[in-house]
């Protein structure tokens, strides 16, 4: 299902690895604007979830979804889904600026919510989401796919957990994406709808920096955005970067951009570099630059003992989805804490809000 | 001569490619503290320079130099070299904090100066160096080896010149180094002597950012230094990073560190990533991570037409040295302008001076 030309419909398929018996975890898809909804549903289904139905007011998105999941019955309305007691979780990938409002309705209906990233576009929405989590006790989980749905990212986390590089000092992430403008909906180019590049694709990297450094919080040291070369889309940020200082004095830096050229084999050469006191890790997430058909999942480790290349594609899987299902059933936080999911969004929003806007002059 | 375990004596040998007739360009080596002096002398000799003699008051450095250049006669004193009318240029790699003072003496003696990087350690020294260049008309050239003595770096410059990635928007550099503390002289751990990590190895990256973006000047947006894990050397910065905004609104970021682990095949996995409007370039300068014995000189290009891997080791050479010799003879600035060499140092010094000091807390 993954299309190499377009990260927007990056939807990895892993091996089925159910954590529950059939029917124990029933979910629905509501808000189908972004192709990430397919990745979300794949992940939950592989982990044993039952996708009961799906709905979006836009018939185009409904038709696309039907093609991807032909065996699943469409719902007739949002109300049908929200009123269905059997449905434990609602997965959504509506327009970014509407993700919070949808989440509030879902949680108010007594269901957990699992949204595409970015989970929201303003700090006011974040406050409302945090409040709703407190009052409803429900989850507002986020699909930070560049970590939870990428095998190199999962494996790197395992290496760090095992102490392979000592204490993590710094994380640097590159999140380049192909624009593929004709395939993008209009809202993608309207800043109040998508939130800006640091809010949007920046949130992937912010989440990874928090995760790999093990930090609880951080401070945006500096951030920049630009529309360097797409004056036809005046509200597009085609470039953004951010430097962050974590509460444990580790640091992070990331760059995100829409400059992946057409000659590249993949929609983006996503990389992540993790520096530790005893070694370092590089991830080449989706491709190995300069080598055709090498697939994704390339992890390089160097430490005091070794310099090792791991090709983990198809070997690691995506434990997040099973953990999330169990978290919903057991009211635990093993997949990702609520505060971590919100903190990544919060820091991304602050980076976006405070960003210096670079002019495109030569 | 290059030792894979220690960047301090990285001294590439290229193919002889003389730009002058024998005896037209005579130079000397004065101040032999840092092994970079071997790289400097190699480069000038390959380009047709005649190394007439060498001197350092420290007999240990004299003995090491004699081993590397057994056919060359030692001088008895600095005065012997400075008073020798035949000598056009003096190459030096004395203690970093003394490089400027040596340069002032060399230029006052009517000779061009070619020093190891960092070329100086304070802004006051920089002012004195700039003044001396003005009054003497002599050159204060700098061995920014991570670009001028690295084939991938030279080749990347050629690709950009040819328009392979359009207009350069951003440069990200990683300058990791192995500490190999027992091989380092005492002054290496004294901040006023080596200048701090951003002044020292940071200057390589600052120079590259200026070079590849084609900028004349820049502003340090943020910089950080730390001694994360070497409390036994309290004045060592084992980590530094810097974000810079160029005068043409391109941007740069680099990280330098002393955390190369012993299991790595090389003293550092130096990388450089250049993002342009039409594509991008990655350099893996000294090794190809995870692949043993792949040598250096790996350049990856992606643009609208292609995704290509170039292995340029032994194919590109080091044109800087011949250009510098001709610049000295013809009073031109083709190898590198004086202002560029000084600007890289100036921005590195500002980054060091203004750096936030990160505490090593977990």
């Amino acid at each position: 299902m993954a299309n190499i030309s377009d990260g927007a419909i990056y939807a990895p398929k892993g091996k089925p690895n159910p954590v529950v018996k059939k029917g124990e975890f029933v979910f629905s898809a509501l808000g189908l604007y972004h192709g990430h909804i397919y990745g979300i549903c794949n992940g939950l289904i592989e982990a044993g979830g039952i996708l009961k139905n799906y709905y979006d007011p836009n018939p185009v998105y409904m038709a696309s979804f039907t093609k991807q999941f032909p065996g699943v019955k469409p719902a007739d309305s949002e109300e049908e889904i929200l009123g269905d007691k059997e449905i434990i979780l609602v997965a959504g990938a509506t327009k970014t600026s509407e993700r919070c409002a949808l989440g509030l309705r879902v949680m108010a209906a007594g269901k957990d919510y699992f949204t595409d990233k970015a989970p929201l576009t303003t700090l006011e929405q974040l406050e409302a989401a945090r409040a709703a989590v407190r009052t409803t006790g429900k989850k507002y989980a986020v699909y930070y796919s560049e970590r939870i749905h990428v095998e190199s990212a999962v494996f790197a986390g395992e290496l760090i957990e095992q102490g392979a590089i000592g204490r993590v000092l710094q994380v640097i992430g590159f999140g380049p994406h192909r624009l593929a403008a004709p395939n993008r909906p209009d809202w993608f180019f309207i800043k109040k709808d998508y939130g800006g590049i640091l809010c949007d694709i920046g949130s992937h990297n912010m989440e990874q920096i928090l995760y790999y450094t093990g930090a609880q919080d951080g401070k945006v040291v500096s951030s920049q955005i630009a529309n360097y070369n797409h004056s036809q889309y005046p509200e597009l940020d085609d470039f953004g970067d951010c430097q962050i200082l974590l509460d444990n004095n580790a640091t992070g830096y990331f760059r995100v951009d829409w400059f992946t050229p057409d000659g590249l084999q993949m929609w983006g050469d996503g990389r992540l570099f993790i520096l530790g006191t005893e070694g370092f890790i590089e991830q080449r997430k989706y491709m190995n630059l300069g080598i055709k058909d090498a697939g994704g999942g390339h992890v390089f480790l160097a430490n005091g003992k070794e310099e090792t290349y791991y090709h983990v594609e198809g070997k690691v899987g995506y434990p997040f989805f099973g953990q999330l299902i169990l978290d919903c059933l057991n009211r635990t936080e093993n997949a990702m804490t609520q505060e971590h999911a919100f903190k990544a969004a919060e820091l991304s929003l602050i980076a976006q809000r405070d960003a210096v806007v670079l002019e495109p002059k030569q």
Side-chain angles (χ1 to χ4, degrees), chain A:
Chain A
M1 189 182 302
N3 181 317
I4 64 162
S5 74
D6 190 348
I9 53 170
Y10 176 74
K13 281 200 164 178
K15 295 195 187 83
N17 187 19
V19 298
V20 286
K21 293 198 200 102
K22 201 169 168 175
E24 279 187 323
F25 186 82
V26 176
F27 73 102
S28 178
L30 181 57
L32 313 174
Y33 277 56
H34 195 294
H36 276 163
I37 192 66
Y38 306 131
I40 293 173
C41 292
N42 287 346
L44 291 173
I45 292 169
E46 288 158 14
I50 300 293
L51 174 57
K52 181 168 184 179
N53 54 13
Y54 57 93
Y55 179 74
D56 192 289
N58 185 322
V60 175
Y61 297 134
M62 284 298 275
S64 297
F65 198 93
T66 305
K67 252 190 226 161
Q68 299 295 344
F69 296 96
V72 180
K73 193 176 136 316
D76 290 328
S77 68
E78 178 175 318
E79 292 68 33
E80 178 184 338
I81 291 171
L82 295 185
D84 186 336
K85 295 289 177 211
E86 195 189 23
I87 291 166
I88 293 173
L89 176 144
V90 171
T94 188
K95 191 188 294 192
T96 316
S97 57
E98 295 175 1
R99 287 175 188 168
C100 180
L102 175 58
L104 298 182
R105 297 197 298 277
V106 167
M107 292 189 290
K111 301 178 189 319
D112 290 318
Y113 181 50
F114 184 19
T115 179
D116 186 24
K117 66 92 284 274
L120 28 72
T121 51
T122 70
L123 290 165
E124 292 69 33
Q125 289 175 7
L126 178 59
E127 200 176 325
R130 280 192 161 121
V133 165
R134 277 195 302 273
T135 54
T136 65
K138 294 298 161 188
K139 292 180 185 295
Y140 192 118
V142 184
Y143 180 67
Y144 290 114
S145 55
E146 294 188 16
R147 186 175 64 79
I148 67 174
H149 226 168
V150 168
E151 287 182 291
S152 68
V154 174
F155 185 67
E158 293 173 4
L159 288 174
I160 291 167
E161 187 78 22
Q162 293 157 19
I165 61 167
R167 178 162 57 98
V168 172
L169 301 174
Q170 197 207 25
V171 175
I172 295 179
F174 300 169
H177 287 67
R178 179 170 289 137
L179 186 56
N183 303 341
R184 303 280 179 183
D186 292 348
W187 66 271
F188 185 84
F189 300 100
I190 300 170
K191 196 166 274 190
K192 75 170 172 49
D193 289 350
Y194 80 94
I197 193 169
L198 295 174
C199 160
D200 177 19
I201 52 178
S203 66
H204 284 299
N205 274 282
M206 201 65 94
E207 192 278 329
Q208 290 171 93
I209 289 170
L210 284 171
Y211 174 74
Y212 291 118
T213 61
Q216 306 298 309
D217 203 347
K219 186 172 75 81
V220 174
V221 174
S222 74
S223 57
Q224 304 176 126
I225 56 173
N227 182 329
Y228 274 127
N229 210 38
H230 295 88
S231 54
Q232 69 275 43
Y233 303 109
E235 294 195 25
L236 176 74
D237 304 329
D238 61 19
F239 176 94
D241 74 350
C242 177
Q243 197 174 9
I244 181 159
L245 175 59
L246 287 312
D247 62 0
N248 56 5
N249 271 356
T251 70
Y253 172 81
F254 67 85
R255 178 191 86 205
V256 284
D257 68 78
W258 292 104
F259 283 106
T260 293
D262 285 345
L264 196 76
Q265 62 183 291
M266 182 55 66
W267 55 266
D269 183 12
R271 301 279 188 103
L272 205 90
F273 304 87
I274 309 172
L275 179 69
T277 51
E278 313 297 332
F280 65 87
I281 291 168
E282 174 179 355
Q283 299 175 37
R284 300 178 194 157
K285 295 184 170 193
Y286 316 114
M287 53 174 284
N288 196 353
L289 185 59
I291 304 175
K292 302 284 158 59
D293 305 319
H298 309 278
V299 178
F300 302 80
L301 167 68
N303 60 22
K305 284 194 302 232
E306 57 181 342
E307 176 186 334
T308 310
Y309 164 52
Y310 300 92
H311 191 197
V312 301
E313 191 171 61
K315 295 177 188 160
V316 174
Y318 310 108
F320 178 90
F321 300 91
Q323 291 168 348
L324 179 62
I325 287 176
L326 294 176
D327 282 347
C328 291
L329 295 176
N330 305 329
R331 310 319 292 169
T332 50
E333 290 204 314
N334 295 314
M336 184 185 294
T337 67
Q338 184 64 68
E339 185 48 30
H340 176 89
F342 280 154
K343 185 56 73 177
E346 179 184 336
L347 293 170
S348 306
L349 289 171
I350 291 170
Q352 181 76 38
R353 181 194 68 191
D354 297 348
V356 170
V357 181
L358 307 178
E359 296 301 319
K361 80 168 167 183
Q362 173 70 44

